């Protein structure tokens, strides 16, 4: 695929949504964001095909291999055939031999090897107290859920949010379901691209465990999130805090930001507007919040982006997509 084709795919992703575009062209979201990062840093030159080590033509793509390894870690007693069936349930189609080859490459072909693999502790994940108060701008992100009540035909609606503790730069999206997959989508499609462009050195990613959305399989969630982070060039600790026992500083941060999210959204829920319209409206509200909403930082009145620029001492420029409305 040449650079012009890649540019066309990037443009379609910004206009029609990254997930739909990746499905259309048969590429992974990870590859899309890799192209986007190269384009934003080096222009068209960054999209020029680069030589890479050759791998066997029949080797399973990296993103599919990660899914196989995640299932193996979660269900180590299962063999290649059973893992193949589980993959089919999440609409991933690999042959039994392809699954076995992945196991063999990672020394997991025998049951005892897979059991040992599943017992390995994931790196840098903890529920202990973290030094968020001493973090710098962009170093400590909090993930949380806000229930918005109901809208059309009694359907529930939720705001999933990620916010940096010091700068208060934030990303939010609307979803109709309670699922950890929604946090993964928000992380990959919004938070990480912003973090990359603003030069964040993220050290902590803190999931606030809401009573409505408990992480039923924490190991699986951690495995997937770590893979997303590492692919994007980040290596933070992953923490879990109970929402009913949060420090007052975190409660205050969450409450003030939630008011911003709901200020324009709540009056529109009773008007039976399309979900796509509500999503775009929330995007605009959060974009305005990050760029222009002034708050008190010690003795200075600044927007989140202005505070971050002052903190790192560099004049950062948001890419064009940060100002665009994007479907998802």
């Amino acid at each position: 695929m040449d650079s012009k084709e890649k540019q066309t795919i990037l443009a379609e992703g910004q206009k029609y949504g990254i997930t739909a575009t990746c499905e259309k062209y048969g590429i992974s979201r990870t590859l899309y964001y890799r192209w986007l990062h190269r384009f934003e840093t080096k222009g068209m030159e960054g999209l020029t095909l680069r030589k890479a080590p050759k791998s066997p033509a029949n080797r399973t793509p990296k993103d599919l291999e990660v899914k196989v390894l995640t299932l193996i870690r979660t269900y180590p007693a299962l063999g290649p055939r059973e893992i193949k069936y589980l993959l089919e349930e999440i609409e991933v189609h690999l042959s039994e031999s392809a699954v076995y080859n992945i196991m063999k490459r990672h020394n997991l072909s025998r049951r005892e090897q897979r059991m040992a693999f599943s017992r390995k502790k994931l790196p840098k994940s903890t529920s202990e107290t973290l030094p968020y108060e001493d973090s710098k701008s962009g170093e400590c992100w909090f993930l949380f859920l806000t229930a918005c009540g109901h809208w059309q035909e009694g359907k529930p609606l939720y705001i999933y949010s990620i916010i940096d503790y010091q700068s208060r730069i934030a990303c939010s999206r609307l979803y109709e379901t309670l699922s950890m997959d929604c946090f993964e989508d928000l992380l990959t499609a919004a938070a990480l691209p912003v973090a990359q462009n603003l030069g964040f050195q993220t050290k902590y990613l803190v999931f606030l465990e809401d009573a409505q959305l408990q992480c039923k399989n924490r190991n699986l969630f951690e495995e997937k999130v770590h893979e997303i982070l590492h692919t994007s060039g980040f290596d933070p600790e992953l923490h879990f805090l109970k929402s009913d026992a949060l420090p007052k500083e975190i409660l205050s941060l969450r409450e003030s930001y939630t008011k911003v999210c709901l200020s324009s959204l709540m009056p529109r829920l009773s008007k039976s507007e399309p979900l796509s319209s509500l999503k775009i409206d929330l995007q605009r509200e959060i974009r305005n919040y990050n760029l222009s909403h002034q708050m008190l930082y010690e003795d200075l009145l600044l927007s989140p982006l202005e505070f971050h620029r002052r903190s790192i001492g560099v004049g950062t420029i948001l890419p064009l997509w940060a100002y665009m409305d994007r479907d998802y």
Side-chain angles (χ1 to χ4, degrees):
M1 186 179 297
D2 62 28
S3 57
K4 289 185 178 180
E5 290 176 300
K6 293 176 183 177
Q7 186 185 34
T8 298
I9 293 174
L10 292 178
E12 286 192 26
Q14 305 308 307
K15 186 175 182 179
Y16 300 112
I18 293 169
T19 299
T21 301
C22 289
E23 290 176 354
K24 175 182 176 181
Y25 289 97
I27 64 172
S28 69
R29 293 168 65 95
T30 297
L31 181 59
Y32 179 94
Y33 285 115
R34 188 176 298 132
W35 289 349
L36 181 62
H37 180 64
R38 290 177 186 168
F39 180 70
E40 290 171 345
T41 55
K42 297 183 179 180
M44 289 296 290
E45 182 183 351
L47 298 180
T48 303
L49 185 62
R50 300 187 300 179
K51 291 183 179 180
K54 292 185 178 180
S55 58
N58 62 346
R59 181 159 180 167
T60 305
K62 176 65 175 177
D63 56 330
L64 296 186
E65 186 166 307
V66 169
K67 293 180 180 180
V68 173
L69 292 174
T70 299
L71 286 174
I72 292 172
R73 180 184 290 276
T74 309
Y75 306 101
L78 302 184
R81 181 176 300 175
E82 291 84 359
I83 294 296
K84 171 185 179 294
Y85 293 154
L86 289 178
L87 287 168
E88 290 175 351
E89 292 182 7
I90 58 174
E91 298 183 352
V92 175
H93 301 283
L94 289 178
S95 66
E96 182 179 340
S97 61
V99 175
Y100 175 77
N101 287 336
I102 293 173
M103 289 182 172
K104 190 174 181 179
R105 278 198 298 275
H106 292 272
N107 295 318
L108 299 173
S109 56
R110 291 186 288 116
R111 186 176 185 276
E112 57 267 31
Q113 291 174 320
R114 297 194 295 275
M115 297 301 291
F117 174 69
S118 71
R119 290 192 295 269
K120 286 184 179 178
K121 293 184 178 180
L122 291 168
K124 296 185 177 181
S125 296
T126 178
S127 296
E128 298 175 359
T129 304
L130 69 157
Y132 60 89
E133 291 180 308
D134 297 325
S135 64
K136 297 179 182 178
S137 183
E139 287 188 348
C140 184
W141 283 67
F142 286 88
L143 296 78
F144 60 90
L145 172 77
T146 302
C148 302
H150 297 79
W151 63 302
Q152 292 182 353
E153 301 176 355
K155 296 177 182 177
L157 202 58
Y158 306 95
I159 301 175
Y160 288 73
S161 300
I162 299 178
I163 185 169
D164 175 52
Y165 178 76
Q166 290 296 348
S167 69
R168 301 171 213 171
I169 288 174
C171 301
S172 291
R173 282 190 164 188
L174 278 174
Y175 298 94
E176 298 177 273
T177 57
L178 287 170
S179 170
M180 301 305 294
D181 291 339
C182 297
F183 273 119
E184 293 173 31
D185 182 66
L186 175 64
L187 184 65
T188 57
L192 286 176
V194 169
Q196 289 172 329
N197 280 280
L198 295 181
F200 282 3
Q201 302 296 319
T202 310
K203 293 183 178 180
Y204 312 104
L205 200 62
V206 188
F207 175 64
L208 305 183
E209 293 187 289
D210 195 281
Q212 299 182 36
L213 181 60
Q214 294 293 329
C215 189
K216 296 179 181 179
N217 192 328
R218 183 178 295 182
N219 283 346
L220 180 59
F221 178 68
E222 291 180 12
E223 178 83 9
K224 295 171 73 175
V225 169
H226 277 300
E227 178 63 26
I228 292 170
L229 293 167
H230 293 164
T231 301
S232 302
F234 293 91
D235 188 26
E237 296 178 5
L238 185 60
H239 292 251
F240 291 81
L241 297 179
K242 296 292 184 182
S243 292
D244 57 0
L246 296 178
K248 62 180 181 180
E249 297 88 357
I250 305 303
L251 282 173
S252 177
L253 176 67
R254 179 175 182 172
E255 290 173 3
S256 61
Y257 178 68
T258 299
K259 289 179 181 178
V260 171
C261 292
L262 296 178
S263 60
S264 65
L265 186 64
M266 293 304 292
R268 302 179 61 182
L269 292 180
S270 60
K271 297 180 181 180
S272 298
E273 295 190 32
L275 181 59
S276 59
S277 177
L278 295 176
K279 288 180 175 181
I280 293 297
D281 186 70
L282 180 63
Q283 280 190 52
R284 292 171 179 169
E285 188 71 23
I286 303 309
R287 184 164 61 232
N288 179 69
Y289 160 84
N290 284 322
L291 298 176
S292 308
H293 184 77
Q294 293 195 323
M295 294 172 281
L296 194 63
Y297 295 86
E298 296 182 350
D299 58 344
L300 295 174
L301 199 60
L302 303 167
S303 72
L305 183 59
E306 288 172 335
F307 174 82
H308 179 66
R309 286 172 171 168
R310 291 175 66 96
S311 297
I312 65 175
V314 178
T316 55
I317 300 176
L318 287 179
L320 181 61
W321 61 258
Y323 300 91
M324 298 169 59
D325 296 327
R326 297 188 294 165
D327 297 326
Y328 62 93

